[in-house]
Amino acid sequence: MAKAFFRLQKFLRRTQFLLFFLTAAYLMAGSLLLLQRTRLVIQQGSRGTPTNQALPVPEEMSRVGIIDPRTLQSPGPRLLVGMDALQEPALERRHSPHWLTSRNSELRQLRRRWFHRFPSDQEPLQTAGLKAMKHTTEHKGTYMGCFTHDSRERTLKGAVFYDLRKMTVAHCQEACAERAYSYAGLAYGAECYCGNTLPAAASKPEECNSECRGEKGSVCGGVNRLSVYGVDELRAGARRRRNVIYRGCFRAPENLTDTFPASLIQPNLTVEMCSEFCSKKEFPLAVIRGQECHCGYPTGRFPLRHGSDGQRCSGARNASSAARGRYCLVYQTPVQDTRCTDRKFLTNKSKVFVALSSFPGAGNTWARHLIEHATGYYTGSYYFDGALYNKGFKGEKDHWRSRRTICVKTHESGKTEIEMFDSAILLIRNPYKSLMAEFNRKYAGHLGYATDRNWKGKEWPDFVNGYASWWASHVLEWLKYGKRLLIVHYEDLKQSLIPKLKEMVEFLNVTVTEDRLLCVENNRDGNFKRSGAKQKNFEPFTQEMKDLINRYILTVDEALRGRNFSGLPREYVPR
């Protein structure tokens, strides 16, 4: 009996020791995990939400593509919606302009938390440099030498790209090769120029002394100097973004040889032959009429605004039978139209302080792209967005009150913020589209899409409830406190780009040429266009959300008409 009791006592002691050991190990592991997660949260809070940054990637085409441009539906008639939904006292109090104005302070705090919590696409400089070095430790292509560079009369006259934080030699070479250029030149450590003709004026090798922003130890040109590389070796392995885009069938100008600077007559002419010829000549358009190939730009004599019936260009895929005399086929080559890519800061401080105001997700970045390329001047920003600065919006880093920029982006709508500006372009977009665009930006950056998990989780309903009223209050506050306003609807700008852009440019008191506006139209997308609408297999807006947003639409429409502006397009209310 005593022996059995002794064995039991021994077993219990071992069990106690084992339990103590397991408990201690568990506590230590939990402490380490807690410390690690705390450190991760601190790091993320200090640098924002990282997102991938890359050069813009247009739709890929597996062969010489035939892409028919789809015309947008014209805005419908005036918003013929009754105000019955606002007659109930409770709803009227909740969704009236007075109620929205009273929430202004609360919304301002919400906006500030939004921008501070999600600083779009900013990364520390050291991290960006390390990533770039790991990605491109070696570059291909032949180094051609150091050459002089004039930003106005460029020696490499093809496409131009900026990456003010991550530029590398390989990055520039790949970008030029993907667009069928033969040479890539780098300047100022961050600017990439493409072309098919080697610069004539050589410089001393030591004058190319600017280190690449994204790759330590590599040289990316210098001040007014280009480090030029041949990129032919990259073409076979480079990832093609696109080959040629079909622009349509158009009536041929009276004299094609006077309209287009370069021409070629070739028996059995094909689209590939003409496109390659025009690409080597550094022209963005390839125009085919029978066996004739012409290269050039959209101009006042050939604006590409009014296409003809495709049947008039018989055999659109077969160049030899195309457009019997009076009509021609037009294709967009991989070459960029560079007549409007040069930009600079204002030489003198602007006397008129102009805002480019919009709700987030309303196309403010796209409008800035259009304004910058139409006027040749940088736009500023009330905020700092690293992704925009990194892709060439140099006004991002300039102080927003410096008055060196043509206008200043802002999403603010408080009385004090509005009254600081002398005038404003107020950009308005369908709230359904705006909310979805900003939600995508929040969770996937400027070019990405939020996942189905984000849309179906609690994030989306919370976002709509918090920001739908901001869409309305933003317009109402600018209508109330704005001194001089130009109302621009995103949908109108998208459909009638040149007329609306002319209005915006005239409002900014800048005179531009017709050819420059046509160049902007030819480069209308910019670097931050999402690649098409990602279709969802579900409806993101519930009926409750629609009822809420529709009441805000009616309120804003009534306020616009009360100030003698045109009301909102009918398409804003879902049918």
Side-chain angles (χ1 to χ4, degrees):
M1 187 69 180
K3 191 173 182 180
F5 179 79
F6 176 78
R7 289 180 178 176
L8 178 62
Q9 189 179 26
K10 187 176 180 181
F11 172 77
L12 291 175
R13 287 177 180 174
R14 289 180 178 177
T15 304
Q16 288 178 348
F17 176 80
L18 181 61
L19 289 173
F20 174 79
F21 177 80
L22 292 175
T23 302
Y26 177 81
L27 292 175
M28 290 177 66
S31 300
L32 291 173
L33 180 61
L34 180 61
L35 287 172
Q36 184 178 6
R37 295 183 68 178
T38 303
R39 180 182 177 187
L40 180 61
V41 169
I42 291 174
Q43 289 178 348
Q44 289 181 344
S46 64
R47 70 182 185 185
T49 306
T51 56
N52 295 330
Q53 300 180 10
L55 280 172
V57 182
E59 298 179 2
E60 291 190 22
M61 302 172 62
S62 58
R63 48 197 288 259
V64 174
I66 305 297
I67 302 181
D68 293 317
R70 299 182 180 180
T71 57
L72 300 171
Q73 295 182 354
S74 59
R78 293 173 49 154
L79 187 65
L80 303 175
V81 206
M83 298 296 289
D84 297 339
L86 296 177
Q87 297 306 314
E88 297 181 23
L91 292 179
E92 186 173 354
R93 287 196 303 270
R94 183 178 177 188
H95 301 285
S96 65
H98 177 74
W99 176 82
L100 290 169
T101 304
S102 67
R103 287 199 60 197
N104 187 54
S105 176
E106 177 186 346
L107 287 169
R108 237 186 343 248
Q109 294 297 325
L110 187 64
R111 290 195 292 273
R112 284 169 183 163
R113 288 199 301 271
W114 173 263
F115 284 108
H116 285 297
R117 185 178 178 188
F118 302 102
S120 57
D121 308 318
Q122 299 182 34
E123 292 186 33
L125 183 59
Q126 293 181 354
T127 305
L130 288 173
K131 287 183 179 179
M133 289 181 65
K134 291 178 181 178
H135 180 65
T136 57
T137 54
E138 294 181 359
H139 58 78
K140 299 178 181 179
T142 305
Y143 180 64
M144 310 304 296
C146 184
F147 297 84
T148 58
H149 171 66
D150 186 341
S151 58
R152 294 184 179 179
E153 296 294 331
R154 294 192 286 113
T155 51
L156 292 178
K157 300 182 181 298
V160 55
F161 306 96
Y162 301 94
D163 205 325
L164 304 177
R165 187 173 291 178
K166 295 183 178 180
M167 181 59 73
T168 66
V169 175
H171 188 50
C172 179
Q173 288 177 322
E174 291 171 1
C176 293
E178 288 165 5
R179 287 161 176 79
Y181 289 107
S182 300
Y183 299 103
L186 298 105
Y188 303 101
E191 299 180 2
C192 173
Y193 298 87
C194 308
N196 288 323
T197 303
L198 194 66
S203 299
K204 297 178 181 179
E206 58 269 19
E207 293 180 2
C208 288
N209 52 14
S210 294
E211 186 177 67
C212 299
R213 295 289 182 89
E215 189 173 22
K216 293 182 179 180
S218 294
V219 177
C220 286
V223 178
N224 296 324
R225 295 295 181 268
L226 281 172
S227 297
V228 180
Y229 295 83
V231 296
D232 287 339
E233 298 178 19
L234 296 176
R235 289 189 177 181
R239 174 173 51 84
R240 295 277 183 178
R241 293 186 180 178
R242 63 182 184 180
N243 288 326
V244 60
I245 296 177
Y246 175 57
R247 294 291 299 269
C249 176
F250 295 86
R251 188 176 184 88
E254 292 297 328
N255 193 329
L256 269 69
T257 55
D258 289 344
T259 304
F260 302 110
S263 301
L264 170 71
I265 298 178
Q266 177 72 42
N268 300 320
L269 181 69
T270 65
V271 175
E272 292 91 337
M273 291 178 185
C274 187
S275 175
E276 185 176 357
F277 172 75
C278 293
S279 295
K280 288 183 178 179
K281 296 292 184 179
E282 299 183 355
F283 290 109
L285 293 185
V287 181
I288 298 174
R289 185 177 68 173
Q291 297 182 357
E292 302 174 11
C293 172
H294 302 273
C295 313
Y297 303 97
T299 62
R301 298 178 64 179
F302 195 64
L304 295 184
R305 289 179 189 164
H306 306 291
S308 301
D309 186 351
Q311 293 182 354
R312 295 182 181 272
C313 294
S314 60
R317 293 175 183 269
N318 183 0
S320 62
S321 62
R324 306 176 181 231
R326 292 185 299 170
Y327 295 90
C328 55
L329 295 166
V330 181
Y331 295 87
Q332 185 95 29
T333 72
V335 175
Q336 183 182 12
D337 191 341
T338 59
R339 296 173 296 168
C340 57
T341 55
D342 56 306
R343 290 164 289 169
K344 60 183 179 181
F345 289 102
L346 295 174
T347 52
N348 299 315
K349 289 188 176 181
S350 174
K351 296 180 181 179
V352 181
F353 196 31
V354 185
L356 177 61
S357 179
S358 73
F359 176 78
N364 200 303
T365 300
W366 180 53
R368 290 177 67 187
H369 161 79
L370 297 174
I371 291 172
E372 287 194 1
H373 285 74
T375 64
Y377 295 111
Y378 287 114
T379 58
S381 178
Y382 190 81
Y383 320 97
F384 172 72
D385 190 322
L388 298 182
Y389 173 78
N390 194 32
K391 295 302 179 187
F393 285 89
K394 293 184 179 180
E396 283 290 317
K397 212 167 186 179
D398 205 56
H399 192 275
W400 65 279
R401 299 195 74 170
S402 70
R403 292 180 180 257
R404 296 201 310 152
T405 54
I406 194 69
C407 61
V408 176
K409 161 192 171 179
T410 181
H411 299 310
E412 300 298 312
S413 57
K415 180 176 183 294
T416 303
E417 291 87 346
I418 294 173
E419 291 181 343
M420 288 188 297
F421 294 96
D422 301 316
S423 57
I425 298 174
L426 182 58
L427 185 63
I428 305 174
R429 186 183 184 185
N430 187 325
Y432 289 94
K433 302 292 185 181
S434 294
L435 289 169
M436 294 176 68
E438 182 60 9
F439 190 74
N440 280 321
R441 188 202 66 83
K442 171 186 173 183
Y443 287 100
H446 284 283
L447 299 175
Y449 290 91
T451 64
D452 288 353
R453 179 181 174 184
N454 297 130
W455 291 102
K456 294 180 179 180
K458 67 175 185 177
E459 298 98 333
W460 173 239
D462 292 344
F463 178 81
V464 172
N465 290 332
Y467 288 89
S469 60
W470 178 9
W471 175 86
S473 68
H474 181 274
V475 178
L476 296 175
E477 294 293 289
W478 278 92
L479 289 175
K480 182 176 182 180
Y481 299 113
K483 300 173 185 175
R484 176 172 169 260
L485 295 178
L486 173 67
I487 306 296
V488 177
H489 295 292
Y490 172 89
E491 293 76 15
D492 294 343
L493 181 62
K494 193 173 181 182
Q495 176 156 354
S496 304
L497 179 63
I498 295 298
K500 289 298 178 182
L501 186 55
K502 278 184 177 179
E503 288 183 26
M504 296 165 68
V505 170
E506 290 173 1
F507 185 82
L508 295 170
N509 198 27
V510 178
T511 303
V512 298
T513 64
E514 183 73 12
D515 284 352
R516 191 172 184 105
L517 288 173
L518 289 169
C519 170
V520 177
E521 186 177 40
N522 216 31
N523 292 319
R524 62 187 298 158
D525 289 343
N527 289 342
F528 290 96
K529 175 181 171 60
R530 289 185 175 88
S531 55
K534 188 176 181 182
Q535 299 295 329
K536 300 180 186 59
N537 54 6
F538 62 93
E539 170 59 56
F541 294 96
T542 65
Q543 189 58 49
E544 183 180 1
M545 293 178 186
K546 292 179 181 179
D547 293 340
L548 176 69
I549 296 171
N550 289 348
R551 286 192 288 267
Y552 291 139
I553 290 174
L554 293 171
T555 301
V556 170
D557 180 72
E558 185 179 38
L560 285 169
R561 297 181 190 279
R563 285 285 306 271
N564 295 322
F565 292 108
S566 61
L568 297 175
R570 186 178 179 182
E571 65 188 59
Y572 279 29
V573 177
R575 294 185 287 273

